[in-house]
Amino acid sequence: MSVDGWNTVLVLGGIRSGKSEFAESLVAEAPTVRYVATAADADTDDAEWAARLAAHRDRRPETWTTEETARDPRRLADVIASAGPNETLLVDDLGGWVTVLLDPAYQPADDTATIAELATAIRDCAAKLVLVSPEVGLSLVPTTPLGRVFTDALGAANRAVADACDAVVLVVAGQPAWLKPAAPRPVTVPAQGGAAATAGNGATSAPAHAAPDHAALPDVLTPTVPPAPAAPADAGSPWSAPTMALPMVATGLVIQPGMELPMPDEYAGPQAVDRLATLDVPGAGLGVLDRVVGFAAATQGTTTPVPWDSVRVLLVHGDHAGGAAAGTVAGESARRARQARAGKGALARLAAESGASLQVVDAPTANPIENEPALTPEQVESALRHGWRLAEQAADAGVRLLVLGACGAGTEAAAAAVLAATAGAEPPTVLGRVVTDTGEYDDAAWMVRCASVRDALHRTRRSPRGAKDVLAELGGGDIAVATGVLLGATARRVPVMLDGPVGVAAGMVSRDLAGQARHWCLLADHGGHPAVRLAADVLGLTPLLDLRLDLGEGANALAVLPLLRSVLALAAALPVHPSLGGGNDSDEPEETDEPDFREPEPAGPGPASTEPEPEPADPTGWRAG
C-alpha cells in the first residue's frame, strides 16, 4: 500500500469526489487485490446506474478478483476477518452496504450490532484493507423518513469504521485531506538486511520485484575514523530543523509536473552577502566563497547562517546494462557499495572526518537503453517515491544538509542521455573519457558508450520528453531515486549538495517536476566533468571551487565540506569592523587622548621582589631545562 505504516484506511468523499479512484491508487502496487463489491446489481430500467457500475469494473486491473456481498450484508465482516496478512482488500463502498442492510428483505435486523461487528473485524484485520464510503455529514437533513434512516445508519457506520481504521482521508474535488492521523508518522529505521527497497504508486500492478511503499528504508550508518594511524588502511570501525511537510508520500499522491514546493528566502541570501562587507577581516573577505554564505542564509532563512551541524550522505547504487557500462569492471560498483556499508573507502573515511552519517541506497538496474526503456513506468514511480521518503526520513532526523552521491556502472552515459533529452546536448560533448582501473584511457569503450546513447536517442526520437518519460526511457533507477530525493528535500526545506553526473541529471529532471528544486541545490566542484559543467550552466548553479577532484560522486563534496563549514562559522562569528560601529574585542586597551601618567617600571626586580632573575636568552631560540 501507499500509506506508510498503516494497514487499514477509510476513504471518505462526496458524490463524484474521486474517492474511489483515490482508494484504487492506494492499492495499485499490490500484486493482487480482492475487490469487495457491496452494492446490489443495477435495476434493468436504470441504465445510468448500470453504466456507473460498469465504469468501476472497467477500471479494475485483470489481476484483481471481485467478491460480491450484496446478497448478505453481514458477510462483509466475515470476509474482512478471514483475510490473511498477505492479502489486499478494497471495499467499495459502505454506502451500498448500508443500503442493502436497510433493505426490507433483511429486516428486522439489528443495524447497530451489524455495524459493531464490522468495526471489530476491521480492527482485528490482518490484511491490507481500504474501505470507501460516502460522507453524508455535509448535506441537508433528508425530508423523508427513509432518507433520515439511511443517513443516520451511514453516519454511525462511518464513525465506527473511522475509529477502527489506522488512517482516515477525506477526498474533496479529487484532493485528499488526511484526517487521521493529522500528519505522516515518523519513519523508523529497521536493521538492514539486504538491498534497499523502493516505494511505488503505479497506475497498474507493480512487477513482482518492485517493493511496496511501506518497505524498509536502508540503514543510516555513522562512519568513524580509524583510531590508530598504524592500522591498515581498510581497518576502520563499522559504521532538528523546522521544515515544511507536504503530504505527497503519505497520501499516495502521484509526483507530477507543476508541483508547488517552497523556495528559499529571497531576501536573507543577499542581505547575508552584504553583511560580509561589514565584518572585521584584515583582507578583502571570502572571495567567491561568499556564495556559500548567501546559499546557506537563503535556505536557513536568516542573515547569519550557521554551519551545517548534521549532514547525511546518500550513496545511490544503481547499474546500467548494455553499452552504457562499456569499460567498467563487472561487480566494481557493488564492491564500492559494500565498502561504504562497511565503513571503508574514500567516501566512508571522508564522512567520518566530517561527522556525517551515510546511507547506501540500492536502485533497480536499468535495462540497455539502446534496445529498450531503462525502467517501466511503475518502477519510475516507485523510485521517485522512495527517494522522496529518504529525504523525509533525513528531515525527520534533523539533518541540515544532504550530500548526494552515486556509484554504478554506466551512470555517466545515462546522465549524458538525460542531458541530451532535456538540454539538447550532443552526447560526445558531455561524455567524459573512460579511465580504466589501471589509469589508462579506453577510447574504444568511450565510443561504445557514445553509440549506446546515440541509439537510445534514435529509439526515443518520437517519445514524449516529460520528466517521467525521460527517466523511464533513458535515466534509470539511480537518477530516478536521486530525483525523488531532490523533490522530497525541497518539500522539507533541506539543501542538497550535488556532486557528479547523477546528481546534476536528477537536477535537470526535477526542474520539470518542480522548478523550485534547483534553488535548494549547491554544487561545490564540477570535477572537470563535461556533463556537470553543462548541467550546472543550465540549472544556474555556479561551482564554488575548481579543484577537479575525482574521488567518486559524493566524496568530492565531502572533501570540500570542512572548508564550507569554516566559511560559515567565520561569517557567523566575526564582529562588525570597529570603524562601522562594531565593538573592540582585542586584548589591547582602547586608545584615548588622555596622556599616560603611569610610573615606568624599574629595569630589574626591586629590593622586596622575590622573583628570580630572568635567564639570558639562548641564541638558538630554545630554553634550557
Side-chain angles (χ1 to χ4, degrees):
M1 276 175 66
S2 298
V3 182
D4 194 22
W6 302 322
N7 279 349
T8 54
V9 183
L10 172 62
V11 180
L12 298 170
I15 298 172
R16 296 300 191 188
S17 63
K19 59 184 182 297
S20 293
E21 292 90 336
F22 179 76
E24 292 165 8
S25 74
L26 294 180
V27 298
E29 79 273 7
T32 59
V33 174
R34 184 147 50 119
Y35 186 97
V36 183
T38 61
D41 290 336
D43 193 323
T44 55
D45 297 331
D46 194 344
E48 189 272 339
W49 181 248
R52 290 194 181 203
L53 295 180
H56 274 259
R57 294 189 186 99
D58 293 342
R59 283 204 309 266
R60 302 170 201 165
E62 294 180 356
T63 56
W64 290 16
T65 60
T66 301
E67 188 159 349
E68 305 280 351
T69 63
R71 296 184 180 276
D72 182 6
R74 295 176 182 83
R75 185 167 169 268
L76 178 60
D78 296 334
V79 171
I80 294 174
S82 62
N86 296 325
E87 291 188 85
T88 300
L89 272 63
L90 173 57
V91 178
D92 194 357
D93 69 359
L94 294 183
W97 179 75
V98 169
T99 300
V100 176
L101 182 64
L102 298 177
D103 191 293
Y106 302 102
Q107 298 298 324
D110 190 343
D111 304 340
T112 303
T114 306
I115 292 172
E117 291 173 2
L118 176 63
T120 301
I122 294 171
R123 192 173 283 108
D124 298 336
C125 181
K128 304 295 184 184
L129 174 64
V130 176
L131 303 105
V132 181
S133 184
E135 173 51 52
V136 296
L138 303 179
S139 64
L140 297 175
V141 176
T143 58
T144 64
L146 183 58
R148 289 192 291 272
V149 170
F150 173 78
T151 54
D152 290 347
L154 182 56
N158 284 348
R159 290 197 302 272
V161 172
D163 182 67
C165 283
D166 298 328
V168 181
V169 58
L170 175 65
V171 180
V172 180
Q175 305 302 310
W178 287 86
L179 309 180
K180 174 190 176 182
R185 183 175 83 172
V187 179
T188 56
V189 184
Q192 184 168 333
T198 55
N201 182 31
T204 60
S205 299
H209 60 271
D213 193 55
H214 58 274
L217 295 174
D219 263 350
V220 178
L221 311 173
T222 304
T224 56
V225 180
D234 60 348
S237 304
W239 304 75
S240 301
T243 55
M244 174 180 176
L246 297 186
M248 296 298 295
V249 172
T251 62
L253 291 177
V254 177
I255 297 174
Q256 57 190 354
M259 292 187 296
E260 290 294 332
L261 300 183
M263 283 282 291
D265 192 319
E266 61 178 321
Y267 300 108
Q271 290 173 358
V273 174
D274 292 341
R275 177 180 170 273
L276 296 177
T278 68
L279 299 184
D280 186 11
V281 293
L286 298 175
V288 297
L289 292 179
D290 62 359
R291 290 198 295 267
V292 72
V293 177
F295 174 82
T299 53
Q300 294 179 21
T302 175
T303 57
T304 55
V306 297
W308 300 295
D309 56 352
S310 179
V311 179
R312 178 169 296 178
V313 184
L314 294 178
L315 179 65
V316 183
H317 168 229
D319 290 336
H320 298 257
T328 59
V329 178
E332 177 64 12
S333 65
R335 185 183 74 85
R336 293 291 182 190
R338 290 193 303 270
Q339 189 182 57
R341 286 192 177 97
K344 303 173 182 178
L347 183 71
R349 178 58 186 258
L350 288 170
E353 295 285 353
S354 301
S357 58
L358 173 62
Q359 199 169 12
V360 182
V361 184
D362 290 316
T365 300
N367 299 320
I369 57 176
E370 60 268 34
N371 300 326
E372 57 185 311
L375 299 175
T376 64
E378 292 78 17
Q379 287 177 307
V380 170
E381 291 285 352
S382 176
L384 284 171
R385 295 170 61 81
H386 190 59
W388 185 295
R389 290 180 62 215
L390 290 166
E392 285 271 349
Q393 182 196 40
D396 290 339
V399 170
R400 304 297 182 92
L401 176 70
L402 284 172
V403 176
L404 191 54
C407 67
T411 56
E412 294 185 359
V418 170
L419 288 176
T422 57
E426 289 292 334
T429 64
V430 291
L431 263 175
R433 298 181 71 182
V434 179
V435 181
T436 66
D437 54 350
T438 59
E440 299 176 344
Y441 288 114
D442 188 348
D443 289 333
W446 177 83
M447 287 188 284
V448 173
R449 293 186 184 185
C450 288
S452 173
V453 175
R454 176 203 63 200
D455 293 346
L457 294 174
H458 180 75
R459 178 182 59 80
T460 61
R461 64 192 183 280
R462 293 187 178 89
S463 300
R465 284 293 188 254
K468 293 182 181 180
D469 301 307
V470 171
L471 290 174
E473 294 287 352
L474 306 169
D478 50 354
I479 298 178
V481 170
T483 301
V485 169
L486 294 184
L487 296 173
T490 299
R492 298 300 299 271
R493 301 181 184 273
V494 178
V496 181
M497 189 179 297
L498 304 181
D499 181 20
V502 170
V504 296
M508 294 293 296
V509 176
S510 66
R511 180 188 60 165
D512 295 332
L513 293 169
Q516 303 86 356
R518 67 184 182 89
H519 296 281
W520 294 88
C521 295
L522 181 68
L523 183 62
D525 186 10
H526 57 67
H529 198 289
V532 178
R533 286 177 179 271
L534 173 65
D537 185 59
V538 175
L539 295 172
L541 302 177
T542 303
L544 299 174
L545 304 170
D546 187 9
L547 301 179
R548 299 177 182 270
L549 296 174
D550 193 12
L551 301 172
E553 189 162 349
N556 304 318
L558 286 176
V560 302
L561 180 60
L563 173 62
L564 305 186
R565 278 173 162 171
S566 298
V567 167
L568 294 177
L570 193 64
L574 284 178
V576 175
H577 195 278
S579 65
L580 299 175
N584 188 351
D585 60 350
S586 66
D587 293 334
E588 297 295 329
E590 295 186 7
E591 295 184 2
T592 66
D593 295 333
E594 298 291 331
D596 191 353
F597 293 109
R598 290 179 298 174
E599 294 287 342
E601 294 290 338
S609 174
T610 59
E611 295 182 4
E613 294 285 345
E615 297 181 7
D618 192 323
T620 64
W622 294 92
R623 293 190 58 168

PDB file of all heavy atoms in Angstrom, residues 125-139:
ATOM      1  N   CYS A 125      -8.313  -6.927  11.589  1.00  0.00           N
ATOM      2  CA  CYS A 125      -7.951  -7.404  10.252  1.00  0.00           C
ATOM      3  C   CYS A 125      -6.435  -7.509  10.094  1.00  0.00           C
ATOM      4  O   CYS A 125      -5.697  -6.568  10.410  1.00  0.00           O
ATOM      5  CB  CYS A 125      -8.528  -6.455   9.195  1.00  0.00           C
ATOM      6  SG  CYS A 125      -8.168  -6.952   7.501  1.00  0.00           S
ATOM      7  N   ALA A 126      -5.978  -8.640   9.577  1.00  0.00           N
ATOM      8  CA  ALA A 126      -4.543  -8.841   9.346  1.00  0.00           C
ATOM      9  C   ALA A 126      -4.122  -8.425   7.950  1.00  0.00           C
ATOM     10  O   ALA A 126      -2.928  -8.276   7.676  1.00  0.00           O
ATOM     11  CB  ALA A 126      -4.195 -10.313   9.568  1.00  0.00           C
ATOM     12  N   ALA A 127      -5.071  -8.226   7.053  1.00  0.00           N
ATOM     13  CA  ALA A 127      -4.755  -7.892   5.663  1.00  0.00           C
ATOM     14  C   ALA A 127      -4.610  -6.383   5.492  1.00  0.00           C
ATOM     15  O   ALA A 127      -4.911  -5.593   6.396  1.00  0.00           O
ATOM     16  CB  ALA A 127      -5.850  -8.418   4.739  1.00  0.00           C
ATOM     17  N   LYS A 128      -4.147  -5.976   4.313  1.00  0.00           N
ATOM     18  CA  LYS A 128      -4.175  -4.579   3.916  1.00  0.00           C
ATOM     19  C   LYS A 128      -5.602  -4.268   3.465  1.00  0.00           C
ATOM     20  O   LYS A 128      -6.129  -4.939   2.579  1.00  0.00           O
ATOM     21  CB  LYS A 128      -3.202  -4.307   2.772  1.00  0.00           C
ATOM     22  CG  LYS A 128      -1.767  -4.714   3.071  1.00  0.00           C
ATOM     23  CD  LYS A 128      -1.185  -3.897   4.191  1.00  0.00           C
ATOM     24  CE  LYS A 128       0.287  -4.266   4.412  1.00  0.00           C
ATOM     25  NZ  LYS A 128       0.864  -3.551   5.549  1.00  0.00           N
ATOM     26  N   LEU A 129      -6.205  -3.266   4.060  1.00  0.00           N
ATOM     27  CA  LEU A 129      -7.631  -3.030   3.836  1.00  0.00           C
ATOM     28  C   LEU A 129      -7.901  -1.556   3.580  1.00  0.00           C
ATOM     29  O   LEU A 129      -7.478  -0.697   4.364  1.00  0.00           O
ATOM     30  CB  LEU A 129      -8.431  -3.497   5.060  1.00  0.00           C
ATOM     31  CG  LEU A 129      -9.929  -3.197   5.069  1.00  0.00           C
ATOM     32  CD1 LEU A 129     -10.633  -3.927   3.938  1.00  0.00           C
ATOM     33  CD2 LEU A 129     -10.531  -3.576   6.426  1.00  0.00           C
ATOM     34  N   VAL A 130      -8.578  -1.265   2.473  1.00  0.00           N
ATOM     35  CA  VAL A 130      -9.030   0.083   2.153  1.00  0.00           C
ATOM     36  C   VAL A 130     -10.541   0.031   1.964  1.00  0.00           C
ATOM     37  O   VAL A 130     -11.055  -0.801   1.210  1.00  0.00           O
ATOM     38  CB  VAL A 130      -8.362   0.627   0.872  1.00  0.00           C
ATOM     39  CG1 VAL A 130      -8.931   2.001   0.509  1.00  0.00           C
ATOM     40  CG2 VAL A 130      -6.856   0.728   1.063  1.00  0.00           C
ATOM     41  N   LEU A 131     -11.248   0.918   2.682  1.00  0.00           N
ATOM     42  CA  LEU A 131     -12.700   0.982   2.584  1.00  0.00           C
ATOM     43  C   LEU A 131     -13.108   2.350   2.058  1.00  0.00           C
ATOM     44  O   LEU A 131     -12.537   3.372   2.437  1.00  0.00           O
ATOM     45  CB  LEU A 131     -13.362   0.755   3.947  1.00  0.00           C
ATOM     46  CG  LEU A 131     -13.025  -0.562   4.659  1.00  0.00           C
ATOM     47  CD1 LEU A 131     -12.059  -0.280   5.797  1.00  0.00           C
ATOM     48  CD2 LEU A 131     -14.276  -1.257   5.188  1.00  0.00           C
ATOM     49  N   VAL A 132     -14.108   2.373   1.183  1.00  0.00           N
ATOM     50  CA  VAL A 132     -14.627   3.605   0.610  1.00  0.00           C
ATOM     51  C   VAL A 132     -16.034   3.822   1.145  1.00  0.00           C
ATOM     52  O   VAL A 132     -16.817   2.874   1.260  1.00  0.00           O
ATOM     53  CB  VAL A 132     -14.653   3.537  -0.930  1.00  0.00           C
ATOM     54  CG1 VAL A 132     -15.170   4.845  -1.525  1.00  0.00           C
ATOM     55  CG2 VAL A 132     -13.267   3.211  -1.469  1.00  0.00           C
ATOM     56  N   SER A 133     -16.346   5.101   1.479  1.00  0.00           N
ATOM     57  CA  SER A 133     -17.687   5.389   1.984  1.00  0.00           C
ATOM     58  C   SER A 133     -18.073   6.816   1.647  1.00  0.00           C
ATOM     59  O   SER A 133     -17.229   7.715   1.677  1.00  0.00           O
ATOM     60  CB  SER A 133     -17.747   5.183   3.501  1.00  0.00           C
ATOM     61  OG  SER A 133     -19.063   5.380   3.981  1.00  0.00           O
ATOM     62  N   PRO A 134     -19.347   7.059   1.334  1.00  0.00           N
ATOM     63  CA  PRO A 134     -19.803   8.434   1.110  1.00  0.00           C
ATOM     64  C   PRO A 134     -19.824   9.214   2.429  1.00  0.00           C
ATOM     65  O   PRO A 134     -20.172   8.664   3.482  1.00  0.00           O
ATOM     66  CB  PRO A 134     -21.220   8.265   0.556  1.00  0.00           C
ATOM     67  CG  PRO A 134     -21.345   6.819   0.198  1.00  0.00           C
ATOM     68  CD  PRO A 134     -20.405   6.080   1.087  1.00  0.00           C
ATOM     69  N   GLU A 135     -19.470  10.477   2.373  1.00  0.00           N
ATOM     70  CA  GLU A 135     -19.558  11.349   3.543  1.00  0.00           C
ATOM     71  C   GLU A 135     -20.881  12.098   3.458  1.00  0.00           C
ATOM     72  O   GLU A 135     -21.086  12.937   2.578  1.00  0.00           O
ATOM     73  CB  GLU A 135     -18.385  12.330   3.578  1.00  0.00           C
ATOM     74  CG  GLU A 135     -18.475  13.380   4.666  1.00  0.00           C
ATOM     75  CD  GLU A 135     -18.741  12.794   6.047  1.00  0.00           C
ATOM     76  OE1 GLU A 135     -17.993  11.875   6.462  1.00  0.00           O
ATOM     77  OE2 GLU A 135     -19.709  13.244   6.676  1.00  0.00           O
ATOM     78  N   VAL A 136     -21.790  11.805   4.381  1.00  0.00           N
ATOM     79  CA  VAL A 136     -23.130  12.390   4.313  1.00  0.00           C
ATOM     80  C   VAL A 136     -23.306  13.533   5.303  1.00  0.00           C
ATOM     81  O   VAL A 136     -24.358  14.164   5.343  1.00  0.00           O
ATOM     82  CB  VAL A 136     -24.194  11.316   4.595  1.00  0.00           C
ATOM     83  CG1 VAL A 136     -24.167  10.259   3.527  1.00  0.00           C
ATOM     84  CG2 VAL A 136     -23.983  10.688   5.976  1.00  0.00           C
ATOM     85  N   GLY A 137     -22.298  13.810   6.109  1.00  0.00           N
ATOM     86  CA  GLY A 137     -22.453  14.806   7.161  1.00  0.00           C
ATOM     87  C   GLY A 137     -22.522  16.237   6.690  1.00  0.00           C
ATOM     88  O   GLY A 137     -22.793  17.138   7.494  1.00  0.00           O
ATOM     89  N   LEU A 138     -22.285  16.524   5.421  1.00  0.00           N
ATOM     90  CA  LEU A 138     -22.275  17.894   4.929  1.00  0.00           C
ATOM     91  C   LEU A 138     -23.567  18.268   4.209  1.00  0.00           C
ATOM     92  O   LEU A 138     -23.697  19.402   3.743  1.00  0.00           O
ATOM     93  CB  LEU A 138     -21.080  18.095   3.984  1.00  0.00           C
ATOM     94  CG  LEU A 138     -19.711  17.782   4.581  1.00  0.00           C
ATOM     95  CD1 LEU A 138     -18.618  18.000   3.535  1.00  0.00           C
ATOM     96  CD2 LEU A 138     -19.444  18.646   5.799  1.00  0.00           C
ATOM     97  N   SER A 139     -24.483  17.331   4.072  1.00  0.00           N
ATOM     98  CA  SER A 139     -25.715  17.603   3.333  1.00  0.00           C
ATOM     99  C   SER A 139     -26.826  18.038   4.281  1.00  0.00           C
ATOM    100  O   SER A 139     -26.690  17.971   5.514  1.00  0.00           O
ATOM    101  CB  SER A 139     -26.144  16.358   2.555  1.00  0.00           C
ATOM    102  OG  SER A 139     -26.448  15.311   3.471  1.00  0.00           O
TER     103      SER A 139
END
